[in-house]
């Protein structure tokens, strides 16, 4: 039986060659590839400073620390996300205040943000989900009005645009991730971007054990972490970044094949794109109506087609319910959407005939 997995990194000989070069050089950490990757990444997204770290979660955590968020503060964010966009707050005893999402893009609903503001609110943490930007104009307006910081989780949306501008670069701090299923990979890895020299220097110090920005290796100015990115990862990042636009285009093409084949199937809803946005597909997520999502997922697994129920609602994760007392019904739109969404296989190398095969199986399973 043919097996089709949900995601796969796209690795070429140029990637392998660049990593091997680092291995042969003997400088495996804090070497020239790290700086080169950061400079090229900053240029690609259009910011002054980029600070590479060991994961997207590390990027978010340093973002929270650099913005000075601390115990008792509140940050408004979305419950329809990967768990780390809320965890990064909990690490610092900052309280995630969830507001529900909107139906078109599955992103935080800006209309609900203002009502959630209290005296303790310090920031908004929008997540650009599945490769599509949240509606940022109203969010920036609210942030300005109430003097709130913005920490953007763009970990799923590298290359996506909002009003023609890259996501992740307009807030105080933006974060990206390079896990192997993302738009580009470094193995494990992440990036913090900002236009503020002060915030960059804080992140640069904290990822490296709180070291001072001097030559003195054993002078620690503040509490820090080992969140550094090694040079093998950075080398891979450089060659991945070089073909990123092409990779985004390829995934867009595969998504358009799915759109065309799936859009007239009753009970299936294909991804919708919000106004003024350009999608950079992280995953291709459909909605399966009439309570048939899990059934379809199980049947496709039996046919060798891997899918995933992206994403479960964060507030209903066991540890979240225990920590904050969340319950079913708290965020009804998120809950309904998270019971209907299903990510289909999406990676470079999938051919039109693979998509036709997957769609044929979906049709067959929904009819039977
Ligand atoms: C992938 C991802 C992250 C970061 O993930 P890491 O595995 O730590 O690199 C953060 N937020 C969202 C929404 C993500 O999808």
């Amino acid at each position: 039986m043919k097996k089709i997995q949900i995601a796969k990194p796209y690795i070429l000989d140029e990637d392998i060659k660049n990593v091997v070069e680092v291995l042969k050089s003997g400088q495996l950490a804090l070497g020239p590839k790290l700086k080169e990757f950061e400079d090229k990444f900053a240029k690609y997204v259009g910011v002054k400073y980029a600070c590479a770290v060991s994961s997207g979660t590390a990027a978010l955590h340093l973002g929270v620390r650099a913005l000075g968020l601390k115990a008792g503060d509140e940050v408004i964010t979305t419950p329809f996300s990967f768990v780390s966009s809320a965890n990064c707050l909990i690490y610092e005893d900052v309280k995630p205040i969830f507001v529900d999402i909107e139906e078109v893009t599955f992103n935080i609903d800006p209309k609900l943000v203002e009502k959630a503001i209290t005296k303790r609110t310090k920031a908004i943490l929008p997540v650009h989900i599945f490769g599509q930007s949240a509606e940022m104009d109203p969010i920036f307006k609210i942030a300005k009005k109430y003097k709130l910081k913005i920490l953007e989780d763009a970990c799923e949306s590298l290359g996506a645009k909002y009003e023609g501008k890259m996501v992740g670069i307009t807030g105080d701090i933006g974060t990206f991730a390079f896990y192997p299923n993302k738009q580009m990979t470094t193995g494990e890895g992440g990036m913090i971007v900002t236009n503020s020299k002060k915030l960059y220097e804080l992140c640069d110090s904290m990822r490296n054990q709180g070291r001072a920005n001097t030559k003195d290796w054993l002078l620690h100015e503040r509490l820090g972490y080992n969140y550094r990115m090694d040079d093998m990862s950075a080398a891979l990042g450089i060659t991945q970044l070089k073909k990123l636009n092409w990779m985004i285009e390829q995934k867009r093409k595969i998504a358009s094949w799915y759109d065309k084949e799936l859009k007239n199937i009753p009970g299936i809803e294909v991804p919708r794109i919000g106004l003024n946005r350009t999608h950079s597909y992280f995953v291709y997520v459909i909605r399966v109506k009439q309570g048939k999502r899990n059934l379809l997922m199980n049947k496709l697994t039996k046919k060798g087609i891997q899918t995933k129920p992206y994403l479960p609602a964060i507030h209903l994760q066991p540890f979240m319910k225990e920590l904050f007392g969340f319950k079913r019904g708290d965020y009804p739109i998120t809950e309904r959407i998270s019971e209907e969404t299903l990510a289909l296989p999406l990676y470079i190398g999938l051919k039109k005939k693979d998509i036709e095969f997957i769609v044929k199986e979906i049709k067959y399973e929904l009819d039977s």
Side-chain angles (χ1 to χ4, degrees), residues 54-58 60 81-82 84-85 127-129 153 155-156 176-179 181-182 188-190 282 311:
S54 52
S55 71
T57 306
L60 282 162
S81 172
F82 181 61
S84 71
S85 62
V127 180
H128 308 294
I129 208 77
D153 181 343
C155 290
E156 297 193 358
F176 295 91
F178 309 122
Y179 188 74
N181 66 353
K182 310 271 177 181
E188 296 283 3
F282 160 56
L311 282 157

Side-chain angles (χ1 to χ4, degrees), residues 44-47 128 132-134 136-137 140 152 157-171 176 195 276-279:
Y44 178 83
V45 295
V47 285
H128 308 294
Q132 186 171 189
S133 176
M136 293 304 289
D137 269 351
F140 286 124
E152 283 184 74
S157 293
L158 175 57
K161 289 182 180 161
Y162 178 75
E163 295 179 344
K165 204 167 162 192
M166 289 278 182
V167 302
I169 64 169
T170 315
F176 295 91
N195 284 311
N276 303 323
R277 274 165 268 207
T278 316
H279 209 308

Side-chain angles (χ1 to χ4, degrees), residues 210-308:
R211 286 190 166 95
N213 192 13
T214 61
K215 297 252 149 47
D216 190 347
W217 186 246
L218 289 178
L219 182 63
H220 303 274
E221 272 187 334
R222 57 180 64 78
L223 176 67
Y225 309 85
N226 181 356
Y227 282 169
R228 295 183 304 258
M229 174 182 276
D230 64 68
D231 264 46
M232 288 82 77
S233 297
L236 181 52
I238 292 164
T239 44
Q240 288 274 298
L241 186 61
K242 207 173 94 185
K243 49 184 168 287
L244 178 61
N245 282 340
W246 181 85
M247 293 196 288
I248 291 170
E249 256 334 294
Q250 295 305 302
K251 281 181 141 182
R252 222 174 253 151
K253 191 167 78 188
I254 298 165
S256 76
W257 294 337
Y258 269 129
D259 282 345
K260 186 162 165 287
E261 299 284 330
L262 286 168
K263 70 169 188 259
N264 295 319
I265 301 181
I268 297 273
E269 205 175 88
V270 299
R272 289 186 283 170
I273 300 177
L275 276 180
N276 303 323
R277 274 165 268 207
T278 316
H279 209 308
S280 169
Y281 289 88
F282 160 56
V283 282
Y284 185 87
V285 175
I286 57 169
R287 281 173 80 168
V288 186
K289 305 288 187 160
Q290 291 130 20
K292 287 188 175 169
R293 196 268 311 268
N294 290 354
L295 197 70
L296 179 62
M297 186 167 63
N298 294 337
K299 285 175 161 180
L300 291 173
T301 306
K302 290 200 185 99
K303 293 286 175 74
I305 300 165
Q306 191 191 16
T307 60
K308 281 204 175 134

Side-chain angles (χ1 to χ4, degrees), residues 62-125:
L62 291 191
V64 167
R65 296 245 14 191
L67 292 176
L69 303 171
K70 51 192 183 311
D73 292 346
E74 293 180 356
V75 172
I76 297 169
T77 189
T78 165
F80 190 74
S81 172
F82 181 61
V83 70
S84 71
S85 62
N87 282 355
C88 65
L89 301 168
I90 299 170
Y91 296 156
E92 297 299 324
D93 288 322
V94 174
K95 191 169 181 203
I97 302 296
F98 293 127
V99 300
D100 219 336
I101 57 174
E102 45 91 1
E103 296 253 356
V104 176
T105 71
F106 310 149
N107 280 308
I108 190 165
D109 186 342
K111 291 192 293 298
L112 303 176
V113 172
E114 196 161 2
K115 276 181 258 168
I117 294 174
T118 72
K119 281 201 297 289
R120 288 183 294 276
T121 309
K122 294 286 158 57
I124 306 171
L125 198 169

